[in-house]
Structures are given as structure tokens and as C-alpha cells.
Amino acid sequence: MKNLLYACIIFTQVIFSQQDSVKTYELNEITVRSGKYNSLIKHLNPSLQSIEIKEVNLSVSKNLIANLKNNTTGIFVTEYGNNGFGIGQLSAGKLSVRGFNGQQQFIVFIDGHPEYAGIFGHPVSDLYNTDAASDLIIIKGPSSLIYGSGAMAGVIDIRTFNQYSKGVSLGSDISYGSFNTYNISLKSGYSAESFAASLNLFNYHSDNHRPSSNYDSKGLGVTLSYKISNEWSANIKSNIRYAKIFNPGAINNPYLNDSVWTEFTRSNISLIFDSRYKSTEGTYSFYLNSGVHDFFDGFHSTDYVAGFNTRQTFEVSESFLFTAGNDTRIYGGNARNNRKLIDTTLYETGFYFVTETDIYQRLKFIAGARLNYNEVYGSEFVPQLSLNYTAADNAGFYISAAKGFRNPTLAEFFVFGANIDLLPEKLWNYEAGFNLNFLDKTANLTGAFYLSEGKDFIAVTGQFPNIKNQNVGRVQNKGFEINLKLAPVTNLVLNAGFNYTDMKTKIPGAPGLHALLNANYSINKIELGLNLVSVAQLYLLESNNQFTEEKFLLLNASAGYHFARNFKFYIRANNLLDTDYQTVYGYPMPGMNFLVGIKTEF
């Protein structure tokens, strides 16, 4: 009960943005992606959350994943400091969703394509920053029906910056803060009748708060769009990212003289064709992402994931939608240390369909299935269904069941503890929830209750060097999540969220209690903000393989002033309570720290 009360302490955030006059809010759901298919996916995954990047770009950190944990309950990430996660066994940046913290159990997509390391199968958290993105969707729970392997615990699908307004646009964001942290980002775009182009560049650096913990990252993104006809459009998107992150080591056993580091360069390119007719719409795309990783101990790897996606949605009638699709991936790479460890390529393909039908007035039934084939283990069948009932214009309820799966990675098949007989990890999630609008749509209350049961989870058995990967693990997580959005007075919007997850097996880096509250207020040219985050029942793994429990309360703040039409000055502060806390055992997070900057838009 003590932990529960502690975690109920809420998150507060107040933002004042430039307005010509006061404004009254009506709390309608944000829709950042329109169309028949996106509507169907929202109904299939009722807890899906759409977020515009401007809603999360509030921290001293530019990393998108680090910001999400302060804005969305049930999502958490481990950290060593304000900037930089690293890669490999010694890294931070491990995502958890509703208690699942396996690096490969949650997948990140960029512009609708999987973005992960081809050999090790995990997202690279340092890739995703707020400057290069425009919006994202989050699905908590299995999403393998649409997204395939790796979407076992959930999905983040990020859409990168594009130029939509006619003419030329220019923007910049330059900031400097504690620990010699500086961030420089530039954007430009051009849009005409049928052609658009956009460019974004960034360069980030921080010494961070401990010796030998420097962080450097830079990147470039380009988008070219062409409207072929009223119904067809084409996009080419490409990004390249570089980062080098130094690991300072545990506080009682530090790595000195910049001796431990990881470095990577990753790039992606995609060609996307979209069609939209009155009764049907589709997407056809080809993509390639690749990376080069280097470690301080001589480990070197190159990897890639390439594939194509096809999807078509048909509006058969006003009450019936049908989507069919296929995605095929080829992934592989090579790695060496003192010797060659792997040089392998595998492929997999999946065919799926989803239907949505009105079966009785306000009652919708959404169901689908995927048949996935992997070159090593064979086929996997993945069903999913949801039943949604709209009781009135202001109330909705749903129940859903979904299966997710994760293929063994190339490393698990062939490298460390190699076992070619491994089966996919599997997870079933059962969920019920509601969505209520009241007080003339100035208040919105959503909630979800979930039970997740998994089997065939992969674990390392034996003693080094005689180790072997085996399908031995079974897991069960259950919990609930509730979120309240309220506009009690003119110009003020409050957001409160609470997530509780009961994990049958303790998972390091995945909190059992996570509470937030946001408050937005806007008038004239001033911005002020407060941010309070509470976490409890966070288990950390000590060096002796024993668990220790962590709980903490964080207070952050921000202020800004639009001193000219296209110029904004801002200041942000993290950890104003100077809380002593850690999310990885032995790695204390920084105390009070600041960032100041100037943002321009033309």
C-alpha cells in the first residue's frame, strides 16, 4: 500500500504557448493519421495512442524514447544519464511495456518499416529523436497481426518530418545546457503543386554528468514526395545516423579514461507508393536499413533488414471494411571479434487479413489473422479480435484478445548459446477497456484492464562456456491503466495517468507502478511548465544477481517566451527536487540540470 500511495503522486506539466487570445478547449481525440486503414487499426487496437511530437518534446533530452516515459504510462526505458544509451550487453535504453522488458519483444517502426539490428533483433534506442519526427503511434500489447515478429509486447511507429504547407519553410533549434550539452538541429522544406521536399540535420553532444560518459550523435534525413495523380503519390525517405557513447561503469567500479564505448552508423531508405480511391486505399513499399557497429573490445558487426510491404483496404459497404496484406523481410549480417562469429542471412514472410463489420447498430466486430513463415522454424499462426460497443456518443467499451510472437534472433540461433531448434516466443493478451467523454466533452476518461500470458520465452541455460539458449520461460503479467484528460477552465488542460502491472516474475528495468499528470495552459506569448513523475516497484539487478527495489519522484520544469513572431526562447530544468535515483543498478542519474535554447520557424 505504501508503494501504491507513493506511485499515485502525479505528474504535472503546464505549457503556455503563443496565442492571440484566450482559448477554450474541447477534448477531442487527436488524429494524426487519417484514412480507412488507420481507422480500422485503431478499432482493432482500441488502446492505440496517437501522439504529435510537439506533445513530447518537453525534456532536456532530444531522445524520443526518453521523453515518452514522462508522457505515457506503461512505457519505461532504462538510462545511464540524460543523453546516450549505447548498444550491446552493457547498454541502457532497454524498453519495457506493461512489464515486458525483453529487448526484442518490442519493435520500433520508422515510416511503416521495421528499424532494428539485423543480427541481434533489438531496437537501437539512440536512433530516435524528436527533431526528425512529426508524429507516432503507440500500441501497448501484441500487434504481430499487422507488424509481424517482434511486435509481441507492443509497437512504436514513428513518422518522420515532411513538408505539407505550400512554399518554403525553414527552422532551427539551438540549445546549451548542463554538462556541456549542446544540440543543434536545422530543418528546411519546399512544397509546390505536386512536389515536396524536406531536409533535416542535427548534431548533439554532451559530456554527461560522470567522467568517461561522453555522448555524440549526428544525422541527416531527406524526404522527396511526388503526387502522381489525384489518387496516387510516391515518397522516397532516407535517414543516416551516427553515434558514439561512452559507458562510465558502475559507480563502485568505474571504467576510467574513456575505455568502454560503443559506436554505430545506421541508415535507412524506403520507396513508398500510396493510393487512395473512394472505396479502396493501399500502400506498396520497399525498404532497406543497415548498420555498422563497433565496440571497445574489438567486436565489429554489419547487419541489414530489407523487405517489401503490400497492403490494400476495401470499403465493401458502409458497415464492412476488409484489409489484406503481405510483408516479407530478409535480414542478416556478419560479426567478428577475435574470430568470425556469424555471416548469415534469413528470410520470413507473412500474409494477413483484417475485417471490420457493424454486427448490430453500435457494435463493431474486428478480427484478423496472419500466417507467418520463417526459413528456420516454419510457420506461425497469429489471430486477433476486438469487440467495440459505443453505448452513446460519449461512451465506448471494448474487449479484445491478441496473440504476439517473436522469432529467435540470428544471435540466438547461431552465435551465443546457439540453438537451431529454438521456437518463437509467444504471448496472448486479453484486455477490456472503456472511453468516456463527459462535462460537455471537456473531460475524457479511458481505462484498460489486461492479462498477458506467454510461453516458450528464450533463456540462457548452463554455465559459461557451456551455455545454450532454450525455450523454457513462462510469464504472466496483469494490471490496469487509467488516464484522465480534463479542461476545467479556459486555456487549461490536465492529463493524469496511472499504470499498475503485477509481474509474476520480477523483470529488471520494468516498473510495477508508474504515475503521471500533465497540465497545459496557454495565453499570449509565455510558456511555463511543471512535470512530476512517480515510479515505484522498479527492480534493479545487482552485480551478485540479487534484486533491489527502486522508487523515485521527479519534478521537471520549463519556461518559454515568443519574443518575436518566428522566434522562441526557452529554458528547461530536470530533477528540480535533486532526487537521488537510478534505473540501472550502480548508475546514478544526474541531479538538478538545465537547458536553454532558441527555436526559429519561418
Side-chain angles (χ1 to χ4, degrees):
M1 178 61 70
K2 183 177 180 180
N3 283 336
L4 181 63
L5 291 174
Y6 187 91
C8 286
I9 302 175
I10 52 181
F11 168 117
T12 304
Q13 177 181 32
V14 182
I15 298 178
F16 300 84
S17 60
Q18 183 178 11
Q19 302 286 337
D20 295 329
S21 60
V22 295
K23 177 180 179 183
T24 301
Y25 290 95
E26 183 177 283
L27 299 181
N28 294 317
E29 181 182 4
I30 294 174
T31 301
V32 295
R33 305 185 189 185
S34 60
K36 299 178 180 65
Y37 169 77
N38 288 306
S39 174
L40 183 149
I41 296 306
K42 170 61 179 174
H43 294 153
L44 180 66
N45 304 278
S47 61
L48 180 149
Q49 187 175 2
S50 300
I51 299 177
E52 293 182 282
I53 295 303
K54 63 183 180 181
E55 297 179 347
V56 299
N57 191 11
L58 303 171
S59 169
V60 298
S61 173
K62 289 286 189 177
N63 186 272
L64 180 56
I65 305 300
N67 275 278
L68 284 181
K69 77 179 190 303
N70 292 341
N71 289 266
T72 306
T73 55
I75 290 184
F76 196 75
V77 64
T78 58
E79 298 174 279
Y80 289 161
N82 281 345
N83 299 281
F85 297 117
I87 50 178
Q89 187 176 2
L90 297 177
S91 69
K94 294 177 173 61
L95 282 161
S96 68
V97 182
R98 291 179 174 177
F100 292 100
N101 194 23
Q103 270 192 286
Q104 300 91 358
Q105 295 166 357
F106 188 86
I107 197 166
V108 176
F109 274 57
I110 295 181
D111 295 318
H113 304 120
E115 181 67 44
Y116 62 87
I119 296 176
F120 295 94
H122 60 76
V124 181
S125 296
D126 282 302
L127 284 177
Y128 320 118
N129 63 66
T130 55
D131 286 324
S134 63
D135 62 73
L136 71 152
I137 61 173
I138 298 173
I139 301 175
K140 303 171 189 175
S143 309
S144 292
L145 169 60
I146 299 296
Y147 292 94
S149 171
M152 190 172 73
V155 172
I156 294 177
D157 191 348
I158 302 167
R159 184 163 58 179
T160 55
F161 170 70
N162 204 353
Q163 175 77 9
Y164 295 105
S165 58
K166 293 290 179 66
V168 178
S169 67
L170 298 171
S172 66
D173 192 344
I174 301 173
S175 58
Y176 184 82
S178 303
F179 319 122
N180 191 32
T181 298
Y182 60 80
N183 304 303
I184 302 170
S185 65
L186 304 172
K187 291 182 180 180
S188 64
Y190 170 78
S191 180
E193 187 66 27
S194 58
F195 174 78
S198 60
L199 172 71
N200 69 81
L201 306 96
F202 68 87
N203 185 15
Y204 306 148
H205 169 84
S206 180
D207 292 347
N208 280 316
H209 66 296
R210 293 180 57 196
S212 299
S213 64
N214 286 15
Y215 163 77
D216 284 283
S217 181
K218 58 194 69 177
L220 166 70
V222 178
T223 297
L224 302 175
S225 302
Y226 182 69
K227 185 178 179 182
I228 301 171
S229 67
N230 289 334
E231 293 80 19
W232 284 86
S233 62
N235 290 273
I236 297 176
K237 296 197 172 195
S238 183
N239 295 276
I240 185 168
R241 305 278 189 272
Y242 165 83
K244 187 170 186 177
I245 305 99
F246 290 86
N247 186 333
I251 194 71
N252 59 353
N253 186 27
Y255 303 136
L256 302 177
N257 302 318
D258 296 337
S259 58
V260 176
W261 51 267
T262 56
E263 183 179 33
F264 69 82
T265 301
R266 296 199 65 87
S267 62
N268 63 61
I269 186 169
S270 60
L271 173 62
I272 307 167
F273 295 95
D274 291 305
S275 68
R276 183 170 295 189
Y277 294 84
K278 182 178 180 180
S279 59
T280 185
E281 61 184 43
T283 296
Y284 307 87
S285 61
F286 304 85
Y287 66 89
L288 168 67
N289 72 70
S290 60
V292 179
H293 298 183
D294 287 288
F295 289 67
F296 69 99
D297 60 359
F299 180 88
H300 171 84
S301 70
T302 61
D303 68 84
Y304 60 87
V305 181
F308 63 89
N309 297 342
T310 62
R311 181 188 70 234
Q312 194 72 32
T313 299
F314 302 90
E315 186 177 33
V316 181
S317 69
E318 290 185 0
S319 60
F320 185 74
L321 286 177
F322 177 81
T323 292
N326 164 258
D327 54 73
T328 298
R329 302 178 195 172
I330 301 172
Y331 56 99
N334 62 79
R336 60 173 172 78
N337 203 331
N338 297 324
R339 59 184 176 85
K340 185 170 75 172
L341 299 173
I342 188 174
D343 188 356
T344 305
T345 297
L346 292 179
Y347 77 89
E348 64 176 286
T349 187
F351 295 87
Y352 63 88
F353 74 91
V354 188
T355 64
E356 176 184 314
T357 183
D358 297 336
I359 59 177
Y360 178 75
Q361 295 179 346
R362 296 176 179 266
L363 188 63
K364 288 183 180 294
F365 180 66
I366 308 97
R370 163 188 282 261
L371 183 61
N372 209 79
Y373 176 80
N374 181 277
E375 182 180 356
V376 175
Y377 67 79
S379 61
E380 185 70 29
F381 180 69
V382 183
Q384 184 172 345
L385 60 88
S386 179
L387 193 65
N388 301 355
Y389 179 67
T390 304
D393 291 339
N394 295 325
F397 305 88
Y398 72 89
I399 56 174
S400 66
K403 179 183 177 181
F405 75 101
R406 177 185 79 83
N407 291 331
T409 66
L410 290 177
E412 291 167 332
F413 271 140
F414 303 115
V415 187
F416 306 114
N419 182 359
I420 196 65
D421 296 320
L422 287 171
L423 297 173
E425 296 182 342
K426 306 172 187 69
L427 181 73
W428 272 98
N429 184 73
Y430 309 95
E431 189 167 327
F434 61 86
N435 187 329
L436 306 175
N437 292 309
F438 50 98
L439 300 179
D440 294 327
K441 293 187 177 181
T442 62
N444 174 257
L445 180 67
T446 62
F449 303 85
Y450 52 88
L451 169 65
S452 300
E453 296 179 322
K455 69 175 184 177
D456 292 331
F457 274 44
I458 297 171
V460 179
T461 61
Q463 296 292 326
F464 186 83
N466 300 312
I467 59 173
K468 189 175 184 179
N469 297 313
Q470 300 275 17
N471 293 108
V472 297
R474 298 185 72 91
V475 298
Q476 183 188 87
N477 291 353
K478 56 186 176 181
F480 68 90
E481 191 169 285
I482 190 164
N483 293 279
L484 173 66
K485 189 173 184 179
L486 179 67
V489 297
T490 300
N491 291 352
L492 178 64
V493 177
L494 304 173
N495 292 272
F498 178 81
N499 175 272
Y500 169 73
T501 300
D502 177 20
M503 292 166 274
K504 192 173 182 179
T505 302
K506 293 179 181 178
I507 305 295
L513 297 168
H514 186 198
L516 311 170
L517 172 72
N518 301 329
N520 300 320
Y521 185 78
S522 59
I523 189 170
N524 298 326
K525 300 180 179 181
I526 300 174
E527 298 184 352
L528 298 173
L530 292 176
N531 173 312
L532 190 64
V533 183
S534 180
V535 170
Q537 293 185 7
L538 175 64
Y539 295 99
L540 311 181
L541 192 62
E542 300 181 23
S543 55
N544 59 2
N545 288 327
Q546 298 296 312
F547 282 104
T548 183
E549 185 178 345
E550 182 83 349
K551 59 182 179 180
F552 54 84
L553 179 67
L554 301 178
L555 176 65
N556 308 313
S558 64
Y561 180 69
H562 294 260
F563 59 90
R565 181 179 179 182
N566 303 110
F567 293 84
K568 170 187 167 183
F569 170 81
Y570 62 85
I571 180 170
R572 295 168 185 162
N574 269 18
N575 197 6
L576 286 174
L577 299 178
D578 210 25
T579 300
D580 182 11
Y581 75 104
Q582 52 189 334
T583 63
V584 177
Y585 185 77
Y587 287 79
M589 290 292 288
M592 190 184 306
N593 58 95
F594 303 88
L595 186 80
V596 297
I598 295 178
K599 190 172 184 178
T600 65
E601 291 183 354
F602 296 92

